[in-house]
Amino acid sequence: MSTYTVRSGDSLSRIAMRNFGTAARWREIADLNGIPDPSRIRVGQVLVLPQEETPEKSTRREDVIITEEGKRVFYRYAGSAAKRELGKKFKKGLFRIGKQSPEEFLEANGRYLARLKLSKSEVSALLATSENEGNLDAVNTWDNSFMSFGMFQWTLGARGDKGELPALMKRVQQEFPDAFEQYAGQFGVRVSADTDGRYGYLIHNGKKIDTAAEKGFFRSHSSAYRFAIAGTDKRVNAVQVLHAISRFDWFFFNTEAKLGGYRLCDLLTSEYAASLLLDNHVNRPGYVLPCVARAAQQTGRTFRQLAEGSDADESRLIKQYLAVRESYGRSPMTHAAQRALVTKKYVDTGRISAKRGSFKSNSDRR
């Protein structure tokens, strides 16, 4: 077991970067030390650091044995005494923070990124957003969405509603059929034919999973295990990245009446702005457009002036937008101010640019 003593000026992100080479592992440190608020650590505090592990690479073995020890859930294989933690029990299921960070994957897998045709700006926006979301092998089965998976916590959907997770799995099946068969098909899981690029349903053992009762199967520890191991597979993770960046196609390039006939990408054109909007869309997709529209009105500038404006005009719009999104709607964006600080950190360290026109998308090449 290794430990770290907090120094002046430290944050969990800095500690993670110093010890593991990636800021994204701050969640593991927080979870391991029972820290609910990552901004509240004190100088001299001794933190236990996560141990390094080599992830299992296959689910083809069906002899997996899952056990519970108190609030912790473990898995191991028959004939082996080695066990690994799957997650922690909570309410109706479990949660797993995971260890496969998007940052590490994006930095170490240029071959996959070339296949995906991601621009540098898109990679940067994903990095800034994913730090607010989750790791590639993150799993949550405890809340009303039954199963949430991956860097953007794609879900099955609440109640009998459609979910985003089936759309992700459809893309896995299209890009890497062998990976889909390994993690889903061999266990009787398919994607419903009416699933589109955004939402849909799964099929399990020939039956469409479109009720809360049927979705309950995916709360099982065995289901959580299969998704967790899928999150260590480069093929699945490449699709996660592709599916995450395609989210811009849902909202960023569309002509909008609420914006005076302009597009979001006309008004907000920096990497910084694109990262903030993507983060908002992942957390509260329906709020992005009205928040920007209200913020634009509060700048005192016309939509045309903003579309033709300067760096200072964009900075002013971003400032108004950040203020609006903190309280907009019946259920405002979760931890909006804290998430904004994470994104701003990427500007301050030079990893994304606040300069107007700096966001470059490869959407038309994919």
Side-chain angles (χ1 to χ4, degrees), residues 284-298:
R284 292 290 187 274
Y287 288 3
V288 176
L289 182 60
C291 281
V292 173
R294 180 175 295 182
Q297 294 172 353
Q298 292 176 356

PDB file of all heavy atoms in Angstrom, residues 284-298:
ATOM      1  N   ARG A 284     -27.065  17.900 -19.100  1.00  0.00           N
ATOM      2  CA  ARG A 284     -28.434  18.372 -19.292  1.00  0.00           C
ATOM      3  C   ARG A 284     -28.609  18.767 -20.763  1.00  0.00           C
ATOM      4  O   ARG A 284     -28.589  19.948 -21.116  1.00  0.00           O
ATOM      5  CB  ARG A 284     -28.726  19.590 -18.393  1.00  0.00           C
ATOM      6  CG  ARG A 284     -28.774  19.314 -16.915  1.00  0.00           C
ATOM      7  CD  ARG A 284     -30.000  18.491 -16.531  1.00  0.00           C
ATOM      8  NE  ARG A 284     -30.115  18.385 -15.080  1.00  0.00           N
ATOM      9  CZ  ARG A 284     -29.521  17.473 -14.338  1.00  0.00           C
ATOM     10  NH1 ARG A 284     -28.728  16.567 -14.914  1.00  0.00           N
ATOM     11  NH2 ARG A 284     -29.687  17.430 -13.034  1.00  0.00           N
ATOM     12  N   PRO A 285     -28.804  17.786 -21.645  1.00  0.00           N
ATOM     13  CA  PRO A 285     -28.832  18.080 -23.087  1.00  0.00           C
ATOM     14  C   PRO A 285     -29.892  19.088 -23.507  1.00  0.00           C
ATOM     15  O   PRO A 285     -29.660  19.898 -24.416  1.00  0.00           O
ATOM     16  CB  PRO A 285     -29.076  16.703 -23.727  1.00  0.00           C
ATOM     17  CG  PRO A 285     -29.596  15.836 -22.630  1.00  0.00           C
ATOM     18  CD  PRO A 285     -28.979  16.343 -21.375  1.00  0.00           C
ATOM     19  N   GLY A 286     -31.045  19.062 -22.861  1.00  0.00           N
ATOM     20  CA  GLY A 286     -32.113  19.972 -23.253  1.00  0.00           C
ATOM     21  C   GLY A 286     -31.896  21.410 -22.845  1.00  0.00           C
ATOM     22  O   GLY A 286     -32.647  22.305 -23.279  1.00  0.00           O
ATOM     23  N   TYR A 287     -30.877  21.666 -22.035  1.00  0.00           N
ATOM     24  CA  TYR A 287     -30.649  23.005 -21.514  1.00  0.00           C
ATOM     25  C   TYR A 287     -29.640  23.821 -22.332  1.00  0.00           C
ATOM     26  O   TYR A 287     -29.546  25.040 -22.165  1.00  0.00           O
ATOM     27  CB  TYR A 287     -30.140  22.935 -20.071  1.00  0.00           C
ATOM     28  CG  TYR A 287     -31.164  22.518 -19.049  1.00  0.00           C
ATOM     29  CD1 TYR A 287     -32.459  22.170 -19.411  1.00  0.00           C
ATOM     30  CD2 TYR A 287     -30.838  22.458 -17.701  1.00  0.00           C
ATOM     31  CE1 TYR A 287     -33.388  21.777 -18.464  1.00  0.00           C
ATOM     32  CE2 TYR A 287     -31.762  22.074 -16.738  1.00  0.00           C
ATOM     33  CZ  TYR A 287     -33.039  21.729 -17.129  1.00  0.00           C
ATOM     34  OH  TYR A 287     -33.953  21.357 -16.184  1.00  0.00           O
ATOM     35  N   VAL A 288     -28.874  23.173 -23.180  1.00  0.00           N
ATOM     36  CA  VAL A 288     -27.781  23.873 -23.860  1.00  0.00           C
ATOM     37  C   VAL A 288     -28.289  25.048 -24.680  1.00  0.00           C
ATOM     38  O   VAL A 288     -27.848  26.195 -24.504  1.00  0.00           O
ATOM     39  CB  VAL A 288     -26.980  22.906 -24.757  1.00  0.00           C
ATOM     40  CG1 VAL A 288     -25.900  23.680 -25.524  1.00  0.00           C
ATOM     41  CG2 VAL A 288     -26.346  21.805 -23.930  1.00  0.00           C
ATOM     42  N   LEU A 289     -29.204  24.791 -25.587  1.00  0.00           N
ATOM     43  CA  LEU A 289     -29.694  25.838 -26.487  1.00  0.00           C
ATOM     44  C   LEU A 289     -30.374  26.985 -25.743  1.00  0.00           C
ATOM     45  O   LEU A 289     -30.018  28.155 -25.959  1.00  0.00           O
ATOM     46  CB  LEU A 289     -30.631  25.226 -27.527  1.00  0.00           C
ATOM     47  CG  LEU A 289     -31.188  26.184 -28.578  1.00  0.00           C
ATOM     48  CD1 LEU A 289     -30.063  26.821 -29.373  1.00  0.00           C
ATOM     49  CD2 LEU A 289     -32.151  25.429 -29.504  1.00  0.00           C
ATOM     50  N   PRO A 290     -31.337  26.735 -24.854  1.00  0.00           N
ATOM     51  CA  PRO A 290     -31.961  27.851 -24.150  1.00  0.00           C
ATOM     52  C   PRO A 290     -30.997  28.622 -23.258  1.00  0.00           C
ATOM     53  O   PRO A 290     -31.152  29.845 -23.098  1.00  0.00           O
ATOM     54  CB  PRO A 290     -33.079  27.194 -23.336  1.00  0.00           C
ATOM     55  CG  PRO A 290     -32.738  25.758 -23.270  1.00  0.00           C
ATOM     56  CD  PRO A 290     -32.010  25.448 -24.520  1.00  0.00           C
ATOM     57  N   CYS A 291     -30.000  27.939 -22.682  1.00  0.00           N
ATOM     58  CA  CYS A 291     -29.017  28.653 -21.854  1.00  0.00           C
ATOM     59  C   CYS A 291     -28.201  29.626 -22.693  1.00  0.00           C
ATOM     60  O   CYS A 291     -27.968  30.777 -22.296  1.00  0.00           O
ATOM     61  CB  CYS A 291     -28.086  27.655 -21.161  1.00  0.00           C
ATOM     62  SG  CYS A 291     -28.788  26.866 -19.693  1.00  0.00           S
ATOM     63  N   VAL A 292     -27.754  29.177 -23.869  1.00  0.00           N
ATOM     64  CA  VAL A 292     -26.973  30.054 -24.735  1.00  0.00           C
ATOM     65  C   VAL A 292     -27.843  31.191 -25.268  1.00  0.00           C
ATOM     66  O   VAL A 292     -27.399  32.347 -25.327  1.00  0.00           O
ATOM     67  CB  VAL A 292     -26.352  29.261 -25.902  1.00  0.00           C
ATOM     68  CG1 VAL A 292     -25.677  30.218 -26.894  1.00  0.00           C
ATOM     69  CG2 VAL A 292     -25.335  28.252 -25.380  1.00  0.00           C
ATOM     70  N   ALA A 293     -29.097  30.886 -25.626  1.00  0.00           N
ATOM     71  CA  ALA A 293     -29.992  31.931 -26.139  1.00  0.00           C
ATOM     72  C   ALA A 293     -30.214  33.020 -25.091  1.00  0.00           C
ATOM     73  O   ALA A 293     -30.169  34.226 -25.399  1.00  0.00           O
ATOM     74  CB  ALA A 293     -31.319  31.310 -26.562  1.00  0.00           C
ATOM     75  N   ARG A 294     -30.447  32.602 -23.843  1.00  0.00           N
ATOM     76  CA  ARG A 294     -30.659  33.585 -22.776  1.00  0.00           C
ATOM     77  C   ARG A 294     -29.377  34.376 -22.512  1.00  0.00           C
ATOM     78  O   ARG A 294     -29.414  35.600 -22.325  1.00  0.00           O
ATOM     79  CB  ARG A 294     -31.117  32.886 -21.496  1.00  0.00           C
ATOM     80  CG  ARG A 294     -31.363  33.840 -20.343  1.00  0.00           C
ATOM     81  CD  ARG A 294     -31.926  33.125 -19.130  1.00  0.00           C
ATOM     82  NE  ARG A 294     -33.249  32.592 -19.403  1.00  0.00           N
ATOM     83  CZ  ARG A 294     -33.993  31.949 -18.484  1.00  0.00           C
ATOM     84  NH1 ARG A 294     -33.527  31.789 -17.245  1.00  0.00           N
ATOM     85  NH2 ARG A 294     -35.192  31.493 -18.794  1.00  0.00           N
ATOM     86  N   ALA A 295     -28.245  33.695 -22.515  1.00  0.00           N
ATOM     87  CA  ALA A 295     -26.970  34.376 -22.280  1.00  0.00           C
ATOM     88  C   ALA A 295     -26.686  35.397 -23.380  1.00  0.00           C
ATOM     89  O   ALA A 295     -26.190  36.502 -23.107  1.00  0.00           O
ATOM     90  CB  ALA A 295     -25.840  33.355 -22.216  1.00  0.00           C
ATOM     91  N   ALA A 296     -27.018  35.042 -24.616  1.00  0.00           N
ATOM     92  CA  ALA A 296     -26.795  35.960 -25.739  1.00  0.00           C
ATOM     93  C   ALA A 296     -27.610  37.234 -25.561  1.00  0.00           C
ATOM     94  O   ALA A 296     -27.116  38.346 -25.811  1.00  0.00           O
ATOM     95  CB  ALA A 296     -27.149  35.269 -27.051  1.00  0.00           C
ATOM     96  N   GLN A 297     -28.851  37.099 -25.127  1.00  0.00           N
ATOM     97  CA  GLN A 297     -29.692  38.276 -24.895  1.00  0.00           C
ATOM     98  C   GLN A 297     -29.103  39.164 -23.812  1.00  0.00           C
ATOM     99  O   GLN A 297     -29.162  40.396 -23.893  1.00  0.00           O
ATOM    100  CB  GLN A 297     -31.102  37.830 -24.501  1.00  0.00           C
ATOM    101  CG  GLN A 297     -31.856  37.105 -25.609  1.00  0.00           C
ATOM    102  CD  GLN A 297     -33.168  36.515 -25.130  1.00  0.00           C
ATOM    103  OE1 GLN A 297     -33.465  36.526 -23.928  1.00  0.00           O
ATOM    104  NE2 GLN A 297     -33.951  35.978 -26.049  1.00  0.00           N
ATOM    105  N   GLN A 298     -28.495  38.534 -22.807  1.00  0.00           N
ATOM    106  CA  GLN A 298     -27.955  39.300 -21.682  1.00  0.00           C
ATOM    107  C   GLN A 298     -26.656  40.034 -22.028  1.00  0.00           C
ATOM    108  O   GLN A 298     -26.228  40.910 -21.284  1.00  0.00           O
ATOM    109  CB  GLN A 298     -27.735  38.367 -20.495  1.00  0.00           C
ATOM    110  CG  GLN A 298     -29.041  37.834 -19.908  1.00  0.00           C
ATOM    111  CD  GLN A 298     -28.830  36.837 -18.789  1.00  0.00           C
ATOM    112  OE1 GLN A 298     -27.689  36.468 -18.470  1.00  0.00           O
ATOM    113  NE2 GLN A 298     -29.913  36.387 -18.163  1.00  0.00           N
TER     114      GLN A 298
END
